[in-house]
Amino acid sequence: MSSRRLIVLALIAACAVPAPLAACASNEDAGPVPPSAPEAVPMQDASFDAMSDAPDTAPCTDCDDFPTVCTPDVLCPNGPFQSPDPASNLDPRTEILVIRGRAANDVWAAGAIGAVAHFDGTAWTRSDLGAPETQRNLWLRDGGEVAFGTLTSIYTRGLDFDGADASLSPGGWLLHRNPPAPPSFDPTYQTLRSSWAPPGSDVLWIATLGAFGASGLWRLRCAPPSTLEIAEGISADVCADVGCGEMFSIHGVSPSALWAVGGGGATIHILDADSEAPKVKAFNSVTTRALRGVWAASDTDVWSVGATGTIRHYRGDPLFWEVVDGVPTNEALNAVWGTSDTDVWAVGDAGVVLHYDGTTWSRVKVAGLGSLRPNLYAVWSPAPGHVWVGGTGVILSLGGKP
Amino acid sequence: MTIHRRDGMRVPIVFLSLTLGGVLASSACTWRSEQSLGFQKPEPVPFVGPEASTPAAEAGLTEYCPSDECPTGYTTCPLSNFRCDVNLLTDRDNCGACGVVCPKLERGGTFECVDGACVMTCHLEELADDCDGIVDNGCETSIVTDDNCKTCGNKCPAGKPCIDRGFYDIGCGCKPGETYCPNRFPACFDASSDDFNCGACDRVCDPAEGGAPPPYPNTYYGCRESECGKVKCNLYYGDCDDKIANGCETVVNTNENCGACGNACEPGQECRYQVLWGAPPILTCMCPPGQTFCGTGEIDGIPAGKCYDLKSDDHACGACGNVCSWDGSRTCVYGVCKLSCFDGTADCNGSEGDGCEVNTNSDPNNCGGCGNKCDGVSGQACVGGRCVVKACDAVDAGGPTR
C-alpha cells in the first residue's frame, strides 16, 4: 500500500524533542489566526543533536501525524511563507484557497488579501495583484492566467486583452470590473467557491453558493482580446429541481461531462457541458453532509470529499455513489485532487492530509507545523510523488521539496 | 475515582451539595458541578481527578444520574422539536403556558416574555411611549410633543417647542447657535452661512445680487454671518493665498488641496468624496494605509465611496461589495467570510446554505455541540446545551416524568 510507504521513513519519535521544536506539546494555540508562520523544518540528519538531550515532553495525541522532522515522504512547508526574505513573505493569516499548475515547474497559488504566488520549479515568487482582494479561482490559460475571488473583479495576466501598460499591476495583472452578465446574474447573491475548465477550453465552469434561489453553476467565457463575459451555467429553475443552488466544487475529465458537488450532499452530473444547453442529472451521494471537493480520474472513477471526513466514490452506477468506510479522520475534507485512479489526495481541516493508493485511504504526516494545525483548502498534483497543499499560512510539499 | 456505574446503565455524576429539581450535564454523564443549574446554563467545573477519591457521601456530595424529566420551568409543548425545549419563563411563543404567544409589535410596543408573562416595551424609534400605563392601548403617547418631549411628562418651556432633530435626537428647542426651520431636515441647523436659509428659514441669497458680476474670479454673492451679499468662493475653489484681488484662485478638490487650502493627501491617497451614512459627502483624502476605496458612484465627476479594511470588514470582506452577512451569521476573518454560529446553534453538516442548522441547546443528538448525544437514559433531554440529570436518589424513587 503506497500510502503506508509514505510513512515508514518516519523514524524519529516525534515527542522526544526539545520544547522549542516540539510539534506536539499542545495544540491549544491552534486557531484560525496563527501567531506566526510554521517553523523552519529540521531535516532528518540535522535533528539528532537537538534530540540527544531532549526531555520526555508531555504526552501528545497527534504526534504520529505531525512529526517534527521533515522526511522525504512527509509533507513540509515550502512556499511564500518561508522566504529567506521576511519582507516578501505572505502574512501567516493568509488562507491559500486554490493551487493549480500546468506542470511541475509552473504552479500557481492564490488566496486571501491579494495573495498570488508562482512556483517555477525552484522557488516561489509572489505576484503583485495590485489590490488586497481575496482570490479563490485560478484559470491557467495558454499564454496567461485568470484569477478572481468575485465575478465583479476579474484579473488577467499575459492574455491579449486591451489595456494600457499603465493600468497593469506590478505583477502584470489587468483588472476587469463587472464583465457583461445575463440578467439572472446578481453578484450580491453569489458567493464563489471554485472553478474548472478543461484544458484548452475558452469556458470556465464556476461553482457558487447562490442565495435566495439563485443558481450555483455559472460559466465564464474568456476569448481575448475582447470577450470576457459571464454566462448562465444551469438555470435557477433547473437548479431548484436538481439541487444545484449551493455548489462547492466542479471537475471533469472531458469538456462535455462534468461533476459538481455541494451543500447537503448535492452531487450533480453535467452533460453536454460544452454546449449552449447543458443537461444535468442529480445523483444520490448517500449523505446530507456538505461535499466540498470533487475530482474525476475518468468518467467512471470520481471522488468527492466533504464534512466530517466524508468520502464518496463513483464507479459508474446510474444513480448512487458508493460510501467509503474507514476514512481515517472525522475532520472536514475541503479539496481532492489526483493524477490517476491509484494516486488521489484529499486535504481538510486541522492539518489533515489523506492519500489513496488504489486500495486504501491513509493519513499522510505533516511536519514543521509546530503547535499549529492549519485548515487546508487546496491541493494539486503534477505527477505521482509530487503534490502541493495549501491552507492557512502554509504551502506544503513532500519533503518540503519541489 | 468518584464516578461509578450503577445498574449497568446509569452513571451517577457527583456534584457538590446541590438543590434542584433537575440539573444538566455537559454530556450524557461525565461531569460534575457545584452549581444549581435551574434554567440557566451552568459554567463547567473542572473534573475531579482520581486523587480526590473520597466517597461522595462522605464528602457531602450529591450523586446525580441521567434523567428523563424536564428541569423546572421547562416543558415539552405540542409543537416542540425536542423534549423539554420550551422555557415557559422566557419563550415568547410559549409564555407561561404552551401556545401563549406574546405579540410581536402592537401599537408601537414590543413584548417579551419575562418570568412567564408578556411585558411590553416602547422603543424610541417608534417616537411613542406608554404614558398611561395601560398595556391594552400600547404606546399611546407621542413623545414629540411639548407635554411629553422624549419622555412622559417632560414639558418644554414657552418658545422652545419639542423638536425631532433627527436620528432620534429629541429635545426642547434647537441647540445653541442653531436655527429651527420645521420644513427642513434636519430641522435644526447652522443658518449663519446657509445660502438658502441665511439667518432665517427660506431666506435665499441671490448669487448675482441683482445682476452684479462677481467681484473677483471664482466667486459669488452668498451668506455669511447670517447676511446675504457677502463674497464667497465658488464650489471647489478656495482663497488660499489670502489675496482678495485674485479671488479664489485655488482648486480645492485636488490631492494638494483636498476640501480645504493646504490639506494635502499623503502618498497613496487621493482626494475623493467620503460617503458615510447619515452625513453629507465630504471631500477627504482616501484611504488610510491598510484600507481600500470602494466606490459607490461619482459626485461632480469625483469618485465617491468609503474606505474598508478588506481583511476584517463584514461588509467588504476580501473585495468591495462582498458582504459576509447582514445578520452577523458570517464574519470576515482575514479576507474570508466564515460561518459564525450564534450561541446555541452549530453547523453540523458543513453546508453554508442552511447555516447553523442545529439547535445545540435542545437537540439531544447534538447537545452542546455536534454529535454529543444525551443517551444516559431513555428520553434524556438536552436543555441549554446540557444533558439533563438529577439527584440519583430522586431517580431511584421513581419521580414523575413529563
Side-chain angles (χ1 to χ4, degrees):
Chain A
M1 191 167 60
S2 65
S3 53
R4 292 283 172 81
R5 189 183 69 235
L6 292 171
I7 61 175
V8 295
L9 293 179
L11 302 174
I12 310 302
C15 284
V17 295
L21 295 177
C24 316
S26 168
N27 65 358
E28 291 181 356
D29 292 335
V33 183
S36 61
E39 304 160 7
V41 189
M43 292 305 290
Q44 190 173 16
D45 56 356
S47 62
F48 288 105
D49 289 346
M51 293 179 56
S52 60
D53 55 354
D56 186 13
T57 54
C60 55
T61 58
D62 60 0
C63 288
D64 287 345
D65 295 322
F66 296 99
T68 303
V69 178
C70 184
T71 51
D73 51 1
V74 170
L75 287 163
C76 313
N78 173 359
F81 299 95
Q82 276 78 32
S83 167
D85 175 15
S88 66
N89 279 340
L90 290 173
D91 188 291
R93 295 171 291 179
T94 304
E95 291 186 349
I96 297 298
L97 299 170
V98 58
I99 299 177
R100 292 285 186 269
R102 299 184 180 91
N105 62 354
D106 185 10
V107 185
W108 289 83
I113 308 299
V116 179
H118 180 250
F119 180 74
D120 62 3
T122 304
W124 285 91
T125 305
R126 289 180 62 177
S127 181
D128 190 343
L129 196 66
E133 294 185 2
T134 296
Q135 306 297 302
R136 284 185 174 275
N137 297 272
L138 284 169
W139 184 9
L140 308 184
R141 309 286 314 274
D142 293 337
E145 295 80 28
V146 181
F148 55 97
T150 72
L151 282 173
T152 55
S153 294
I154 297 175
Y155 294 85
T156 62
R157 179 182 178 277
L159 301 175
D160 192 22
F161 279 103
D162 298 332
D165 289 344
S167 60
L168 298 179
S169 78
W173 296 92
L174 177 65
L175 172 60
H176 306 257
R177 284 204 183 280
N178 300 312
S184 57
F185 180 80
D186 185 337
T188 59
Y189 293 165
Q190 296 292 335
T191 303
L192 268 57
R193 289 304 170 202
S194 63
S195 58
W196 167 248
S201 174
D202 284 343
V203 175
L204 179 79
W205 278 81
I206 302 167
T208 74
L209 168 58
F212 302 109
S215 172
L217 289 168
W218 297 87
R219 287 184 281 189
L220 179 67
R221 194 180 311 278
C222 178
S226 57
T227 301
L228 185 66
E229 61 184 13
I230 300 164
E232 205 168 52
I234 303 298
S235 72
D237 290 344
V238 174
C239 268
D241 290 338
V242 300
C244 57
E246 183 190 358
M247 294 285 97
F248 276 107
S249 180
I250 187 167
H251 189 254
V253 292
S254 71
S256 61
L258 305 175
W259 288 93
V261 298
T267 300
I268 307 294
H269 198 196
I270 305 171
L271 299 171
D272 298 334
D274 51 352
S275 73
E276 287 299 314
K279 301 177 180 64
V280 293
K281 177 184 177 183
F283 275 65
N284 189 334
S285 64
V286 205
T287 184
T288 57
R289 295 171 181 156
L291 295 172
R292 295 176 172 272
V294 64
W295 178 81
S298 70
D299 284 336
T300 56
D301 193 321
V302 191
W303 294 92
S304 65
V305 302
T308 327
T310 300
I311 297 182
R312 296 293 184 262
H313 193 191
Y314 177 74
R315 290 198 288 182
D317 189 276
L319 183 59
F320 287 91
W321 283 50
E322 298 171 10
V323 175
V324 176
D325 294 321
V327 177
T329 185
N330 287 320
E331 296 289 347
L333 297 173
N334 299 316
V336 59
W337 198 269
T339 63
S340 72
D341 57 358
T342 59
D343 179 36
V344 189
W345 298 83
V347 301
D349 286 354
V352 167
V353 180
L354 306 178
H355 182 258
Y356 180 74
D357 60 1
T359 306
T360 308
W361 283 95
S362 303
R363 189 78 183 256
V364 179
K365 299 173 187 290
V366 182
L369 296 180
S371 61
L372 303 178
R373 300 291 179 265
N375 293 341
L376 305 174
Y377 302 105
V379 59
W380 181 80
S381 173
H386 296 272
V387 67
W388 291 102
V389 173
T392 306
V394 290
I395 288 182
L396 307 166
S397 65
L398 284 171
K401 297 176 179 177
Chain B
M1 190 72 173
T2 52
I3 291 182
H4 56 279
R5 186 173 295 276
R6 301 172 69 187
D7 302 329
M9 288 291 294
R10 294 174 300 162
V11 181
I13 296 110
V14 181
F15 294 83
L16 299 172
S17 60
L18 303 180
T19 59
L20 64 165
V23 294
L24 317 172
S26 60
S27 62
C29 16
T30 57
W31 63 257
R32 61 187 60 193
S33 168
E34 57 182 316
Q35 299 177 344
S36 173
L37 304 175
F39 336 112
Q40 309 262 328
K41 187 175 180 178
E43 294 298 321
V45 172
F47 190 85
V48 177
E51 65 280 5
S53 57
T54 306
E58 294 176 15
L61 305 177
T62 302
E63 296 181 356
Y64 282 84
C65 293
S67 170
D68 61 357
E69 298 177 37
C70 294
T72 304
Y74 287 85
T75 192
T76 307
C77 288
L79 296 180
S80 284
N81 291 316
F82 305 104
R83 280 180 54 78
C84 309
D85 68 351
V86 171
N87 185 340
L88 296 174
L89 302 183
T90 60
D91 190 332
R92 296 181 72 260
D93 295 324
N94 302 280
C95 190
C98 290
V100 177
V101 180
C102 294
K104 291 189 185 310
L105 177 64
E106 193 165 280
R107 291 183 288 278
T110 57
F111 291 81
E112 296 298 333
C113 183
V114 178
D115 290 335
C118 295
V119 176
M120 185 180 73
T121 302
C122 296
H123 299 280
L124 182 61
E125 53 265 35
E126 298 296 331
L127 302 181
D129 206 346
D130 176 25
C131 292
D132 62 6
I134 301 172
V135 172
D136 287 349
N137 62 5
C139 306
E140 81 293 336
T141 303
S142 168
I143 55 168
V144 196
T145 65
D146 293 350
D147 290 333
N148 300 283
C149 190
K150 193 171 184 178
T151 58
C152 295
N154 181 36
K155 296 181 181 299
C156 290
K160 286 199 167 187
C162 187
I163 299 170
D164 178 2
R165 302 162 181 157
F167 306 110
Y168 309 115
D169 178 15
I170 299 167
C172 296
C174 292
K175 294 175 180 174
E178 292 183 337
T179 298
Y180 174 52
C181 292
N183 296 325
R184 186 184 181 280
F185 184 86
C188 293
F189 64 103
D190 179 4
S192 65
S193 58
D194 188 323
D195 293 338
F196 301 94
N197 300 275
C198 187
C201 299
D202 300 325
R203 185 183 176 199
V204 180
C205 296
D206 177 4
E209 278 291 284
Y216 307 107
N218 304 315
T219 62
Y220 71 102
Y221 294 103
C223 181
R224 189 189 307 142
E225 297 171 343
S226 299
E227 291 185 12
C228 290
K230 302 288 187 180
V231 176
K232 298 175 71 173
C233 290
N234 285 340
L235 182 65
Y236 302 130
Y237 286 91
D239 179 19
C240 295
D241 62 0
D242 282 334
K243 295 177 181 175
I244 191 67
N246 63 0
C248 301
E249 78 293 339
T250 304
V251 178
V252 289
N253 60 4
T254 64
N255 290 347
E256 293 72 32
N257 299 279
C258 184
C261 296
N263 184 32
C265 297
E266 298 288 336
Q269 300 187 19
E270 292 189 30
C271 187
R272 291 167 167 167
Y273 267 114
Q274 184 180 43
V275 181
L276 301 177
W277 188 83
I282 184 170
L283 282 169
T284 308
C285 292
M286 302 168 76
C287 289
Q291 298 193 16
T292 298
F293 178 78
C294 294
T296 54
E298 289 184 347
I299 299 174
D300 296 335
I302 301 170
K306 187 180 173 185
C307 295
Y308 292 90
D309 183 347
L310 301 187
K311 296 189 293 295
S312 59
D313 199 301
D314 291 345
H315 295 143
C317 184
C320 292
N322 188 36
V323 179
C324 289
S325 71
W326 296 104
D327 62 358
S329 60
R330 299 171 81 222
T331 57
C332 185
V333 179
Y334 204 72
V336 179
C337 293
K338 302 285 186 181
L339 202 59
S340 177
C341 295
F342 297 117
D343 283 349
T345 65
D347 172 28
C348 293
N349 66 5
S351 296
E352 291 190 35
D354 58 6
C356 305
E357 78 285 350
V358 170
N359 179 350
T360 55
N361 273 341
S362 304
D363 185 345
N365 290 315
N366 299 284
C367 189
C370 299
N372 296 338
K373 293 184 183 301
C374 297
D375 54 4
V377 65
S378 176
Q380 187 180 22
C382 173
V383 174
R386 309 275 182 176
C387 298
V388 177
V389 296
K390 68 179 301 183
C392 292
D393 290 346
V395 173
D396 292 340
T401 59
R402 302 175 69 176

